[in-house]
Coordinates of all heavy atoms in Angstrom, one line a residue:
M225 N -4.6 28.1 -14.3 CA -5.6 27.8 -13.1 C -7.0 27.5 -13.8 O -7.5 28.2 -14.6 CB -5.7 28.9 -12.1 CG -4.4 29.2 -11.4 SD -4.1 27.8 -10.2 CE -2.7 28.5 -9.4
R226 N -7.4 26.3 -13.3 CA -8.9 26.0 -13.7 C -9.6 25.9 -12.4 O -10.3 24.8 -12.1 CB -8.8 24.7 -14.5 CG -8.3 25.0 -16.0 CD -8.1 23.6 -16.6 NE -6.7 23.1 -16.4 CZ -6.3 22.0 -16.8 NH1 -7.1 21.2 -17.5 NH2 -5.1 21.6 -16.6
E227 N -9.7 27.0 -11.7 CA -10.5 26.9 -10.5 C -12.1 26.7 -10.6 O -12.7 26.3 -9.7 CB -10.2 28.2 -9.6 CG -8.8 28.3 -9.3 CD -8.5 29.5 -8.4 OE1 -9.4 29.8 -7.6 OE2 -7.4 30.1 -8.5
D228 N -12.4 27.0 -11.8 CA -13.9 26.8 -12.1 C -14.2 25.4 -11.9 O -15.4 25.1 -11.6 CB -14.3 27.4 -13.4 CG -13.4 26.8 -14.6 OD1 -12.2 26.9 -14.4 OD2 -14.0 26.4 -15.6
L229 N -13.3 24.5 -12.1 CA -13.6 23.1 -11.9 C -13.8 22.8 -10.5 O -14.4 21.7 -10.1 CB -12.5 22.3 -12.4 CG -12.4 22.2 -14.0 CD1 -11.1 21.5 -14.3 CD2 -13.5 21.3 -14.5
L230 N -13.5 23.7 -9.5 CA -13.6 23.4 -8.1 C -14.8 24.2 -7.5 O -15.0 24.3 -6.3 CB -12.3 23.8 -7.4 CG -11.1 22.9 -7.7 CD1 -10.0 23.5 -7.1 CD2 -11.3 21.5 -7.5
K231 N -15.6 24.8 -8.4 CA -16.6 25.7 -7.9 C -17.7 25.0 -7.1 O -18.5 25.7 -6.3 CB -17.3 26.5 -9.0 CG -18.1 25.7 -10.0 CD -18.5 26.6 -11.2 CE -19.1 25.8 -12.2 NZ -19.2 26.5 -13.6
G232 N -17.8 23.7 -7.0 CA -18.8 23.0 -6.2 C -18.3 23.0 -4.8 O -19.0 22.7 -3.8
L233 N -17.1 23.4 -4.5 CA -16.5 23.3 -3.2 C -16.6 24.7 -2.4 O -16.6 25.8 -3.0 CB -15.0 22.8 -3.2 CG -14.8 21.7 -4.1 CD1 -13.3 21.3 -4.0 CD2 -15.6 20.4 -3.6
T234 N -16.6 24.6 -1.1 CA -16.4 25.8 -0.4 C -15.1 26.4 -0.5 O -14.1 25.7 -0.8 CB -16.8 25.5 1.2 OG1 -15.7 24.7 1.6 CG2 -18.1 24.9 1.4
D235 N -15.0 27.7 -0.1 CA -13.6 28.4 -0.2 C -12.6 27.6 0.7 O -11.5 27.5 0.4 CB -13.7 29.8 0.3 CG -14.5 30.7 -0.8 OD1 -14.7 30.2 -1.9 OD2 -14.9 31.8 -0.4
E236 N -13.1 27.2 1.8 CA -12.2 26.5 2.8 C -11.8 25.2 2.2 O -10.6 24.8 2.3 CB -13.0 26.2 4.0 CG -12.1 26.0 5.2 CD -13.0 25.4 6.5 OE1 -14.1 25.6 6.5 OE2 -12.2 24.8 7.4
Q237 N -12.7 24.5 1.5 CA -12.2 23.2 0.9 C -11.3 23.4 -0.3 O -10.3 22.6 -0.4 CB -13.5 22.4 0.4 CG -14.2 21.8 1.6 CD -15.6 21.3 1.0 OE1 -16.3 21.6 0.1 NE2 -16.1 20.2 1.7
I238 N -11.6 24.5 -1.1 CA -10.7 24.8 -2.2 C -9.3 25.1 -1.6 O -8.2 24.6 -2.2 CB -11.1 26.0 -2.9 CG1 -12.5 25.5 -3.8 CG2 -10.1 26.4 -3.9 CD1 -13.2 26.6 -4.4
A239 N -9.1 26.0 -0.6 CA -7.9 26.2 0.0 C -7.1 25.0 0.5 O -5.9 24.9 0.4 CB -8.1 27.2 1.3
K240 N -7.9 24.0 1.1 CA -7.3 22.9 1.5 C -6.7 22.0 0.3 O -5.7 21.4 0.4 CB -8.1 22.1 2.3 CG -8.4 22.5 3.8 CD -9.3 21.7 4.6 CE -9.4 22.3 6.0 NZ -10.6 21.6 6.7
V241 N -7.6 21.9 -0.7 CA -7.2 21.2 -1.8 C -5.9 21.8 -2.5 O -5.0 21.1 -2.9 CB -8.3 21.1 -2.9 CG1 -7.8 20.6 -4.2 CG2 -9.4 20.3 -2.5
K242 N -5.9 23.1 -2.5 CA -4.6 23.8 -3.0 C -3.4 23.6 -2.2 O -2.3 23.7 -2.8 CB -5.0 25.3 -3.2 CG -6.0 25.6 -4.4 CD -6.0 27.1 -4.4 CE -6.7 27.6 -5.5 NZ -6.7 29.1 -5.5
A243 N -3.7 23.3 -1.0 CA -2.4 23.2 -0.2 C -1.8 21.9 -0.2 O -0.7 21.6 0.3 CB -3.0 23.6 1.3
C244 N -2.5 20.9 -0.8 CA -2.0 19.6 -0.9 C -0.8 19.4 -1.8 O -0.6 20.3 -2.7 CB -3.1 18.6 -1.4 SG -3.7 19.0 -3.0
K245 N -0.1 18.4 -1.7 CA 1.1 18.4 -2.5 C 1.1 17.4 -3.7 O 1.9 17.4 -4.6 CB 2.4 17.9 -1.7 CG 2.7 19.0 -0.8 CD 4.1 18.7 -0.2 CE 4.6 19.9 0.7 NZ 3.8 20.1 2.0
N246 N 0.2 16.4 -3.6 CA 0.1 15.5 -4.8 C -1.3 14.9 -4.8 O -2.2 15.2 -3.9 CB 1.1 14.3 -4.5 CG 1.0 13.7 -3.2 OD1 -0.1 13.3 -2.7 ND2 2.1 13.5 -2.6
Q247 N -1.6 14.0 -5.7 CA -2.9 13.4 -6.0 C -3.3 12.6 -4.8 O -4.5 12.7 -4.4 CB -2.8 12.7 -7.2 CG -4.2 12.3 -7.7 CD -4.2 11.8 -9.2 OE1 -3.6 12.5 -10.1 NE2 -4.8 10.6 -9.5
E248 N -2.4 12.0 -4.1 CA -2.8 11.1 -3.1 C -3.4 11.9 -2.0 O -4.2 11.5 -1.2 CB -1.7 10.2 -2.5 CG -1.2 9.0 -3.4 CD -0.5 9.6 -4.7 OE1 0.3 10.5 -4.6 OE2 -0.8 9.0 -5.8
E249 N -2.7 13.1 -1.6 CA -3.2 14.0 -0.6 C -4.6 14.5 -1.0 O -5.5 14.8 0.0 CB -2.2 15.1 -0.4 CG -1.0 14.7 0.5 CD -0.2 15.9 0.9 OE1 -0.7 17.0 1.0 OE2 1.0 15.7 1.0
V250 N -4.8 14.8 -2.2 CA -6.0 15.4 -2.7 C -7.2 14.2 -2.4 O -8.3 14.5 -1.9 CB -6.1 15.7 -4.2 CG1 -7.4 16.2 -4.6 CG2 -5.0 16.8 -4.5
L251 N -6.9 13.0 -2.7 CA -7.8 12.0 -2.5 C -8.2 11.8 -1.1 O -9.3 11.6 -0.8 CB -7.2 10.7 -3.2 CG -7.3 10.5 -4.8 CD1 -6.5 9.5 -5.2 CD2 -8.7 10.6 -5.3
K252 N -7.1 11.8 -0.2 CA -7.3 11.7 1.2 C -8.1 12.8 1.7 O -9.0 12.5 2.4 CB -5.9 11.7 1.8 CG -5.9 11.2 3.2 CD -4.5 10.9 3.7 CE -4.5 10.9 5.2 NZ -3.6 12.1 5.8
L253 N -7.8 14.0 1.2 CA -8.6 15.1 1.7 C -10.1 15.0 1.4 O -11.0 15.4 2.1 CB -8.0 16.3 1.1 CG -8.7 17.6 1.5 CD1 -8.2 18.1 2.9 CD2 -8.2 18.8 0.5
A254 N -10.3 14.6 0.1 CA -11.6 14.5 -0.5 C -12.4 13.5 0.3 O -13.5 13.7 0.7 CB -11.5 14.2 -1.9
K255 N -11.8 12.5 0.7 CA -12.4 11.4 1.5 C -12.8 12.0 2.9 O -13.9 11.8 3.4 CB -11.4 10.2 1.6 CG -12.1 8.9 1.6 CD -11.1 7.8 1.6 CE -11.7 6.4 1.6 NZ -10.8 5.3 1.6
E256 N -11.8 12.7 3.5 CA -12.0 13.2 4.8 C -13.2 14.3 4.8 O -14.0 14.3 5.8 CB -10.8 14.0 5.3 CG -9.7 13.0 5.8 CD -8.4 13.7 6.1 OE1 -8.4 15.0 6.0 OE2 -7.3 13.1 6.4
Q257 N -13.2 15.1 3.8 CA -14.2 16.2 3.7 C -15.5 15.7 3.0 O -16.4 16.5 3.0 CB -13.6 17.2 2.9 CG -12.3 17.9 3.4 CD -12.6 18.8 4.6 OE1 -13.5 19.7 4.5 NE2 -11.8 18.8 5.5
G258 N -15.5 14.5 2.6 CA -16.7 14.0 2.0 C -16.9 14.7 0.6 O -18.2 14.9 0.2
I259 N -15.9 15.1 0.1 CA -16.0 15.8 -1.3 C -16.0 14.8 -2.4 O -15.3 13.9 -2.4 CB -14.8 16.7 -1.5 CG1 -14.6 17.7 -0.3 CG2 -14.9 17.5 -2.9 CD1 -13.3 18.5 -0.4
E260 N -16.9 15.0 -3.3 CA -17.0 14.1 -4.5 C -16.2 14.8 -5.6 O -16.5 15.9 -6.1 CB -18.4 14.0 -5.0 CG -19.3 13.1 -4.0 CD -19.1 11.6 -4.3 OE1 -18.6 11.3 -5.4 OE2 -19.5 10.8 -3.4
L261 N -15.0 14.3 -6.0 CA -14.4 14.9 -7.0 C -14.5 14.0 -8.4 O -14.3 12.9 -8.3 CB -12.9 14.9 -6.6 CG -12.4 16.1 -5.7 CD1 -10.9 15.9 -5.4 CD2 -12.7 17.4 -6.2
T262 N -14.8 14.6 -9.4 CA -14.8 14.0 -10.6 C -13.4 13.7 -11.1 O -12.5 14.4 -10.6 CB -15.6 14.7 -11.7 OG1 -14.9 15.9 -12.0 CG2 -17.0 15.1 -11.3
S263 N -13.1 12.7 -12.0 CA -11.9 12.5 -12.6 C -11.4 13.7 -13.3 O -10.2 14.1 -13.2 CB -11.8 11.3 -13.4 OG -12.8 11.5 -14.5
E264 N -12.2 14.5 -13.9 CA -11.9 15.8 -14.5 C -11.3 16.7 -13.5 O -10.3 17.5 -13.6 CB -13.1 16.3 -15.2 CG -12.7 17.5 -16.1 CD -13.9 18.0 -16.8 OE1 -15.0 18.0 -16.2 OE2 -13.7 18.8 -17.8
Q265 N -12.0 16.8 -12.4 CA -11.5 17.8 -11.3 C -10.2 17.3 -10.7 O -9.4 18.2 -10.5 CB -12.6 17.8 -10.2 CG -13.9 18.7 -10.5 CD -14.9 18.5 -9.4 OE1 -15.2 17.5 -8.9 NE2 -15.4 19.8 -9.0
L266 N -10.1 16.0 -10.5 CA -8.9 15.5 -10.0 C -7.7 15.8 -10.8 O -6.7 16.2 -10.4 CB -9.1 13.9 -9.7 CG -8.0 13.4 -8.8 CD1 -8.0 13.9 -7.5 CD2 -8.4 11.9 -8.7
A267 N -7.9 15.7 -12.1 CA -6.8 15.8 -13.1 C -6.5 17.4 -13.2 O -5.3 17.7 -13.2 CB -7.3 15.4 -14.5
A268 N -7.5 18.2 -13.1 CA -7.3 19.6 -13.0 C -6.4 20.0 -11.7 O -5.6 20.8 -11.8 CB -8.6 20.4 -13.1
V269 N -7.0 19.4 -10.7 CA -6.2 19.8 -9.4 C -4.9 19.2 -9.3 O -3.8 19.9 -9.0 CB -7.0 19.1 -8.3 CG1 -6.1 19.2 -6.9 CG2 -8.3 19.9 -8.1
S270 N -4.6 17.9 -9.7 CA -3.3 17.4 -9.6 C -2.3 17.6 -10.8 O -1.1 17.6 -10.7 CB -3.4 15.9 -9.3 OG -4.2 15.3 -10.3
G271 N -3.0 18.0 -11.9 CA -2.1 18.1 -13.0 C -2.2 19.5 -13.6 O -1.3 20.0 -14.5
G272 N -3.1 20.4 -13.1 CA -3.3 21.7 -13.7 C -2.5 22.9 -13.0 O -2.9 24.0 -13.2
G273 N -1.6 22.5 -12.2 CA -0.8 23.5 -11.4 C -1.4 23.9 -10.1 O -0.8 24.5 -9.3
L274 N -2.6 23.4 -9.8 CA -3.1 23.7 -8.6 C -2.6 22.9 -7.5 O -2.3 23.3 -6.4 CB -4.7 23.5 -8.5 CG -5.6 24.5 -9.0 CD1 -7.1 23.9 -9.0 CD2 -5.5 25.7 -8.3
C275 N -2.2 21.7 -7.9 CA -1.6 20.8 -6.8 C -0.7 19.7 -7.7 O -1.2 19.2 -8.7 CB -2.7 20.1 -6.1 SG -2.0 18.7 -5.2
R276 N 0.4 19.7 -7.4 CA 1.2 18.5 -8.0 C 2.4 18.3 -7.1 O 2.7 18.9 -6.1 CB 1.7 19.2 -9.4 CG 2.7 20.3 -9.3 CD 3.3 20.6 -10.5 NE 2.5 20.6 -11.6 CZ 2.7 20.1 -12.9 NH1 3.8 19.5 -13.2 NH2 1.8 20.1 -13.8
S277 N 3.1 17.2 -7.5 CA 4.3 16.9 -6.6 C 5.2 17.9 -6.8 O 5.7 18.1 -7.9 CB 4.9 15.5 -7.2 OG 3.9 14.6 -7.0
T278 N 5.6 18.4 -5.7 CA 6.6 19.6 -5.6 C 8.0 19.0 -5.0 O 7.9 18.5 -4.0 CB 6.0 20.7 -4.8 OG1 4.9 21.1 -5.3 CG2 7.0 21.9 -4.9
P279 N 9.1 19.2 -5.8 CA 10.2 18.6 -5.3 C 10.6 19.5 -4.0 O 10.1 20.6 -3.7 CB 11.2 19.0 -6.3 CG 10.7 19.7 -7.4 CD 9.1 19.8 -7.1
S280 N 11.4 19.0 -3.1 CA 11.8 19.7 -2.0 C 13.1 20.6 -2.3 O 13.8 20.1 -3.0 CB 12.3 18.8 -0.8 OG 11.3 17.8 -0.6
F281 N 12.9 21.9 -1.9 CA 14.0 22.8 -2.2 C 14.7 23.1 -0.9 O 14.1 23.2 0.1 CB 13.4 24.0 -2.9 CG 12.8 23.6 -4.3 CD1 11.6 23.7 -4.5 CD2 13.8 23.5 -5.4 CE1 11.0 23.4 -5.8 CE2 13.2 23.2 -6.6 CZ 11.9 23.1 -6.8
T282 N 15.9 23.4 -1.1 CA 16.7 24.0 0.0 C 17.2 25.4 -0.3 O 17.6 25.6 -1.4 CB 18.0 23.1 0.3 OG1 17.6 21.7 0.5 CG2 18.7 23.5 1.5
C283 N 17.0 26.3 0.6 CA 17.4 27.7 0.3 C 18.8 27.7 0.1 O 19.8 27.3 0.8 CB 17.0 28.5 1.6 SG 17.6 30.2 1.4
P284 N 19.2 28.4 -1.1 CA 20.6 28.5 -1.5 C 21.3 29.5 -0.7 O 22.6 29.6 -0.6 CB 20.5 28.9 -2.9 CG 19.2 29.5 -3.2 CD 18.2 28.9 -2.2
K285 N 20.6 30.3 0.0 CA 21.1 31.4 0.8 C 21.5 31.0 2.2 O 22.6 31.1 2.7 CB 20.2 32.7 0.9 CG 20.9 33.9 1.1 CD 20.0 35.1 0.9 CE 20.7 36.4 1.4 NZ 19.8 37.4 1.5
C286 N 20.6 30.4 3.0 CA 20.7 30.0 4.3 C 20.8 28.5 4.6 O 21.0 28.0 5.7 CB 19.8 30.7 5.3 SG 18.1 30.0 5.2
G287 N 20.4 27.7 3.6 CA 20.4 26.4 3.7 C 19.2 25.6 4.4 O 19.1 24.5 4.6
S288 N 18.3 26.5 4.7 CA 17.1 26.0 5.3 C 16.2 25.1 4.3 O 16.1 25.4 3.2 CB 16.2 27.1 5.8 OG 14.9 26.7 6.3
S289 N 15.5 24.2 4.9 CA 14.6 23.4 4.1 C 13.2 23.8 4.2 O 12.3 23.2 3.7 CB 14.8 21.9 4.4 OG 14.5 21.6 5.8
K290 N 13.0 24.9 5.1 CA 11.6 25.5 5.2 C 11.3 26.3 4.1 O 11.5 27.5 4.1 CB 11.5 26.2 6.5 CG 11.5 25.3 7.8 CD 11.2 26.2 9.0 CE 11.4 25.4 10.2 NZ 11.3 26.2 11.5
V291 N 11.0 25.8 3.0 CA 10.9 26.4 1.6 C 9.4 26.3 1.1 O 9.0 25.2 1.1 CB 11.8 26.1 0.6 CG1 11.6 26.7 -0.7 CG2 13.3 26.2 1.1
K292 N 8.8 27.4 0.8 CA 7.6 27.3 0.3 C 7.6 27.4 -1.2 O 8.2 28.4 -1.7 CB 6.5 28.5 0.9 CG 5.3 28.1 1.4 CD 4.5 29.3 1.9 CE 3.4 28.7 2.8 NZ 2.6 29.9 3.4
S293 N 7.1 26.4 -1.9 CA 7.3 26.4 -3.5 C 5.9 26.5 -4.0 O 4.9 25.9 -3.6 CB 7.9 25.1 -3.8 OG 9.1 25.0 -3.2
K294 N 5.8 27.2 -5.0 CA 4.6 27.3 -5.8 C 4.9 27.1 -7.3 O 5.9 27.6 -7.8 CB 4.0 28.7 -5.6 CG 2.5 28.7 -6.0 CD 1.9 30.1 -5.5 CE 0.5 30.0 -6.0 NZ -0.1 31.2 -6.6
Y295 N 4.1 26.4 -7.9 CA 4.3 26.0 -9.4 C 3.6 26.9 -10.2 O 2.4 27.4 -9.9 CB 3.7 24.5 -9.6 CG 3.8 24.0 -11.0 CD1 5.0 23.5 -11.5 CD2 2.8 24.2 -11.9 CE1 5.1 23.1 -12.8 CE2 2.9 23.8 -13.3 CZ 4.1 23.1 -13.6 OH 4.1 22.8 -14.8
Y296 N 4.3 27.5 -11.2 CA 3.8 28.4 -12.1 C 4.0 27.8 -13.6 O 4.9 27.1 -13.8 CB 4.6 29.6 -12.0 CG 4.6 30.4 -10.8 CD1 5.5 30.2 -9.7 CD2 3.4 31.4 -10.6 CE1 5.3 30.9 -8.6 CE2 3.3 32.0 -9.3 CZ 4.3 31.8 -8.4 OH 4.2 32.4 -7.2
E297 N 3.1 28.3 -14.4 CA 3.2 27.9 -15.8 C 2.6 29.1 -16.7 O 1.7 29.6 -16.3 CB 2.6 26.6 -16.2 CG 1.1 26.5 -16.0 CD 0.5 25.1 -16.3 OE1 1.2 24.2 -16.8 OE2 -0.6 24.9 -15.9
N298 N 3.4 29.1 -17.8 CA 2.7 30.0 -18.9 C 3.0 29.3 -20.1 O 3.4 28.1 -20.2 CB 3.4 31.4 -18.9 CG 5.0 31.4 -19.2 OD1 5.4 30.5 -19.7 ND2 5.5 32.5 -18.7
S299 N 2.7 29.9 -21.4 CA 2.7 29.2 -22.5 C 4.2 28.7 -23.0 O 4.3 27.7 -23.8 CB 2.2 30.0 -23.7 OG 2.8 31.3 -23.7
I300 N 5.2 29.3 -22.5 CA 6.6 28.9 -22.8 C 7.4 28.3 -21.6 O 8.4 27.6 -22.0 CB 7.3 30.1 -23.4 CG1 7.3 31.3 -22.5 CG2 6.8 30.5 -24.8 CD1 8.4 32.4 -22.9
N301 N 6.8 28.3 -20.5 CA 7.8 27.9 -19.5 C 6.9 27.4 -18.3 O 5.8 27.7 -18.0 CB 8.7 29.1 -19.1 CG 10.1 28.6 -18.5 OD1 10.2 27.4 -18.4 ND2 10.9 29.5 -18.2
T302 N 7.6 26.5 -17.4 CA 7.1 26.1 -16.2 C 8.2 26.3 -15.2 O 9.4 26.0 -15.5 CB 6.6 24.7 -16.2 OG1 7.8 23.8 -16.6 CG2 5.4 24.4 -17.2
W303 N 7.9 26.7 -13.9 CA 8.9 27.0 -13.0 C 8.3 26.9 -11.6 O 7.0 27.0 -11.4 CB 9.6 28.3 -13.2 CG 8.8 29.5 -12.9 CD1 8.7 30.2 -11.9 CD2 7.8 30.1 -13.9 NE1 7.9 31.3 -12.0 CE2 7.3 31.3 -13.2 CE3 7.4 29.7 -15.2 CZ2 6.4 32.0 -13.8 CZ3 6.5 30.7 -15.8 CH2 5.9 31.8 -15.1
Y304 N 9.1 26.7 -10.6 CA 8.7 26.9 -9.3 C 9.3 28.2 -8.7 O 10.4 28.5 -8.8 CB 9.3 25.8 -8.4 CG 8.8 24.5 -8.7 CD1 9.5 23.5 -9.5 CD2 7.5 24.1 -8.2 CE1 8.9 22.4 -9.9 CE2 7.0 22.8 -8.6 CZ 7.7 22.0 -9.4 OH 7.2 20.6 -9.7
G305 N 8.3 28.9 -8.0 CA 8.7 30.1 -7.3 C 9.0 29.7 -5.8 O 8.0 29.2 -5.2
N306 N 10.1 29.9 -5.4 CA 10.4 29.5 -4.1 C 10.6 30.6 -3.0 O 11.3 31.6 -3.3 CB 11.7 28.6 -3.9 CG 11.6 27.3 -4.8 OD1 10.4 26.7 -4.9 ND2 12.6 26.8 -5.3
D307 N 10.0 30.5 -1.8 CA 10.3 31.4 -0.8 C 10.8 30.8 0.5 O 10.2 29.9 0.9 CB 8.9 32.2 -0.4 CG 8.6 33.2 -1.5 OD1 9.4 34.2 -1.6 OD2 7.5 33.1 -2.1
C308 N 11.9 31.2 0.9 CA 12.5 30.7 2.1 C 11.8 31.2 3.3 O 11.6 32.5 3.5 CB 14.0 30.9 2.2 SG 14.7 30.4 3.8
Q309 N 11.2 30.3 4.3 CA 10.6 30.8 5.3 C 11.4 31.3 6.4 O 10.9 31.9 7.5 CB 9.6 29.7 5.9 CG 8.6 29.1 4.9 CD 7.6 30.1 4.4 OE1 6.7 30.6 5.1 NE2 7.9 30.7 3.2
E310 N 12.8 31.0 6.3 CA 13.7 31.4 7.4 C 14.3 32.8 7.0 O 14.1 33.7 7.9 CB 14.8 30.4 7.5 CG 14.5 29.0 7.9 CD 14.3 28.8 9.4 OE1 14.8 29.9 10.1 OE2 13.7 27.9 9.9
C311 N 14.9 32.9 5.9 CA 15.5 34.3 5.6 C 14.7 35.1 4.6 O 15.1 36.2 4.4 CB 17.0 34.0 5.1 SG 17.0 33.3 3.5
G312 N 13.7 34.6 4.0 CA 12.9 35.4 3.1 C 13.4 35.4 1.7 O 12.9 36.2 0.9
F313 N 14.5 34.7 1.5 CA 15.1 34.7 0.1 C 14.0 34.1 -0.9 O 13.3 33.1 -0.6 CB 16.3 33.8 0.0 CG 17.0 33.9 -1.1 CD1 17.6 35.2 -1.6 CD2 17.3 32.8 -2.0 CE1 18.4 35.2 -2.9 CE2 18.0 32.8 -3.2 CZ 18.5 34.0 -3.5
H314 N 14.0 34.8 -2.1 CA 13.1 34.2 -3.1 C 13.9 33.9 -4.3 O 14.8 34.7 -4.7 CB 12.0 35.3 -3.5 CG 11.1 34.8 -4.6 ND1 10.0 34.1 -4.3 CD2 11.2 35.1 -5.9 CE1 9.4 33.9 -5.6 NE2 10.1 34.5 -6.5
W315 N 13.6 32.7 -4.9 CA 14.2 32.4 -6.2 C 13.4 31.4 -7.0 O 12.5 30.8 -6.5 CB 15.6 31.7 -5.9 CG 15.6 30.3 -5.4 CD1 15.9 29.2 -6.1 CD2 15.2 29.7 -4.0 NE1 15.8 28.1 -5.3 CE2 15.5 28.5 -4.1 CE3 14.9 30.5 -3.0 CZ2 15.2 27.7 -2.9 CZ3 14.7 29.7 -1.8 CH2 14.8 28.3 -1.9
N316 N 13.6 31.4 -8.2 CA 12.7 30.6 -9.2 C 13.7 29.3 -9.6 O 15.0 29.5 -9.9 CB 12.4 31.4 -10.4 CG 11.4 32.5 -10.0 OD1 10.7 32.3 -9.1 ND2 11.3 33.6 -10.7
V317 N 13.0 28.2 -9.9 CA 13.7 27.1 -10.4 C 12.9 26.6 -11.6 O 11.6 26.5 -11.5 CB 13.7 26.0 -9.3 CG1 14.5 24.7 -9.9 CG2 14.5 26.5 -8.2
D318 N 13.5 26.3 -12.6 CA 12.8 25.8 -13.8 C 12.2 24.3 -13.5 O 12.9 23.5 -12.8 CB 13.8 25.5 -15.0 CG 14.1 26.8 -15.7 OD1 13.2 27.8 -15.5 OD2 15.1 26.9 -16.4
A319 N 11.0 24.1 -13.9 CA 10.3 22.9 -13.5 C 10.5 21.9 -14.7 O 10.7 22.2 -15.8 CB 8.8 23.1 -13.3
Ligands
ZN136 ZN1 16.9 31.1 3.5

């Protein structure tokens, strides 16, 4: 996480930026909010795990598509942690 790159933003704006799914959404949001994002910030947001294109997952347990996915990374691995909003099932998928 490189949240320090977003420190010029309010907590509310950061939360919104983090909720976006891809760079286009970040750009749209920034425009709506009147946020000036440097290319460095944009890269950090869209490529640094704060926000990136997240594939759609389907719950392997109940088949629901209401799945909340979060991207994680460490030095050896990247993965999505998924939480089914229907049945509460949690599983990880390699990214
Ligand atoms: Zn489920």
Side-chain angles (χ1 to χ4, degrees):
M225 290 291 183
R226 282 172 274 173
E227 296 188 31
D228 53 314
L229 282 170
L230 298 174
K231 66 186 169 198
L233 309 182
T234 66
D235 287 348
E236 199 189 342
Q237 288 172 330
I238 291 171
K240 281 182 180 167
V241 168
K242 282 180 170 184
C244 62
K245 290 197 174 66
N246 54 46
Q247 191 165 311
E248 286 71 44
E249 280 189 31
V250 179
L251 286 169
K252 191 167 159 250
L253 180 77
K255 218 173 180 182
E256 282 170 8
Q257 299 280 320
I259 304 170
E260 292 272 346
L261 286 177
T262 64
S263 55
E264 193 185 20
Q265 285 176 313
L266 194 58
V269 168
S270 53
L274 278 178
C275 170
R276 63 168 50 220
S277 295
T278 304
S280 307
F281 293 106
T282 303
C283 176
K285 203 174 174 189
C286 73
S288 170
S289 55
K290 286 186 189 168
V291 175
K292 229 177 194 175
S293 302
K294 203 172 171 214
Y295 180 81
Y296 296 92
E297 65 185 344
N298 60 26
S299 53
I300 53 167
N301 210 355
T302 56
W303 69 97
Y304 292 100
N306 297 330
D307 281 297
C308 177
Q309 302 297 289
E310 294 282 346
C311 72
F313 187 66
H314 177 84
W315 76 104
N316 293 329
V317 177
D318 286 342

